[in-house]
Amino acid sequence: MSDATRCLSASFPRKEDVMFCSNPMFERSLFVGAHLDDIELAAGGTAAKLVTAGAQVRFLVMSTSEYTNYNGSHFRDADVAVAEGREAAATLGVKELDILRFPAKDVENHSTVVEAINEVVDDFRPTMVFTHWPFDTHRSHANTALATIAASRYYNSVVMYEPIVPSGRSYVGFRPQLYISIDDTIEQKLQALRQHKSEYEKYGEQWIEGVEARSRYRGYEMRARHGEAFEVSRLEGALV
C-alpha cells in the first residue's frame, strides 16, 4: 500500500475514517479556488484530513485576490493576499500551492482559463478534483467551476464546494451529496481562515462562527460533530 493510501490508525481509529483514508479515490486530490481563502472556507477540513492521511494534496488558485470595490474602496493588496494564502495552506499542511494571475473579479470561462487549469491537471493527474459550484452567485466562482469541469474532462471524479453567504444565495439549491467528517481537523480549518488577516479584519469573528456553524450542521446530518459537504459532478467508484 502506498503512503497516499496508508491510514494513520493512531489519528483515525474509527471505521469510517479507516475506509476514507485507505480509498485510492483521494490519493491525489486537487483543490481549485478562484481566490485565496475559497478553498479553506469550503474544504479546509477535508484538505487537512487528506494531508494527515498521506494523500498528495495540491491547491490551485486562479487569482492573486487583490480587491477594490466599485466605489474605489481598496480592501486587499495582491502581496498581502498571497502571503496570507501561503500561511493558510501551510496551516492545513498543504505544501503545493499554485497561484495564477487572472483578475480576481473577472475569472472567465474561456479557453485561456481552461488551458491554464488543464496544464496543472495534466501535470498532477488527480484522482479527485474539488472545485466551485457553477450556480455560485460570485461570477468568478461560477466560471472557475465551469472551466475546471472542462479542464478535467478526461478525469472521472469532480466534486463541488458548498458556497457560503453571500455566494450561496443562488436561484438554484445546493445539493449535498458527498459528506466528509472533519471532526479531527475543524480547528485547523478555522485557524487557516484566521491566517487571512485582511479578510478576518473585514468580516470579524462572525465570519469564523458562521463557517463553524455550517460545519456543525453538516456534521449533524452525517452523525458527526463537524462535516463538509460537496455536490457531485461525476464520481468514479473504487473497490479495493
Side-chain angles (χ1 to χ4, degrees), residues 6-189:
R6 185 178 296 112
C7 198
L8 303 179
S9 58
S11 300
F12 298 99
R14 299 175 306 173
K15 180 181 178 181
E16 58 266 34
D17 287 323
V18 172
M19 291 174 64
F20 170 78
C21 58
S22 64
N23 194 331
M25 184 188 303
F26 296 95
E27 193 170 271
R28 293 186 306 280
S29 291
L30 176 66
F31 293 76
V32 184
H35 310 102
L36 293 151
D37 79 352
D38 287 339
I39 298 171
E40 296 90 314
L41 277 167
T46 296
K49 185 168 185 174
L50 283 167
V51 170
T52 302
Q56 292 178 260
V57 176
R58 186 167 176 175
F59 283 5
L60 170 62
V61 179
M62 304 305 295
S63 71
T64 51
S65 307
E66 64 276 14
Y67 187 80
T68 301
N69 204 2
Y70 68 91
N71 62 9
S73 302
H74 187 70
F75 293 108
R76 185 161 61 162
D77 292 325
D79 58 343
V80 171
V82 168
E84 292 172 349
R86 294 196 184 283
E87 287 295 327
T91 299
L92 299 175
V94 175
K95 297 179 180 179
E96 292 187 78
L97 170 61
D98 300 288
I99 304 171
L100 305 183
R101 294 186 172 274
F102 292 102
K105 293 193 289 186
D106 294 299
V107 179
E108 297 291 345
N109 175 30
H110 58 53
S111 60
T112 304
V113 177
V114 172
E115 289 181 352
I117 301 172
N118 218 148
E119 184 176 0
V120 174
V121 167
D122 287 347
D123 175 65
F124 189 58
R125 296 176 297 108
T127 56
M128 179 67 71
V129 178
F130 296 80
T131 190
H132 288 283
W133 184 57
F135 297 103
D136 195 306
T137 56
H138 194 309
R139 300 318 305 156
S140 288
H141 293 182
N143 287 332
T144 295
L146 293 171
T148 303
I149 291 168
S152 305
R153 58 198 176 276
Y154 297 119
Y155 296 82
N156 292 334
S157 294
V158 180
V159 299
M160 301 174 290
Y161 307 134
E162 180 175 13
I164 197 164
V165 172
S167 296
R169 309 192 86 169
S170 181
Y171 61 93
V172 174
F174 178 81
R175 300 177 302 168
Q177 295 166 324
L178 172 65
Y179 287 81
I180 295 176
S181 168
I182 59 167
D183 287 356
D184 301 300
T185 54
I186 180 62
E187 291 305 323
Q188 273 181 276
K189 173 187 174 85

Side-chain angles (χ1 to χ4, degrees), residues 204-224:
E205 186 62 19
Q206 190 176 22
W207 184 47
I208 304 297
E209 292 171 352
V211 172
E212 184 187 16
R214 185 177 68 178
S215 76
R216 286 289 301 275
Y217 179 68
R218 292 308 183 195
Y220 170 74
E221 288 185 318
M222 65 178 298
R223 298 183 181 182

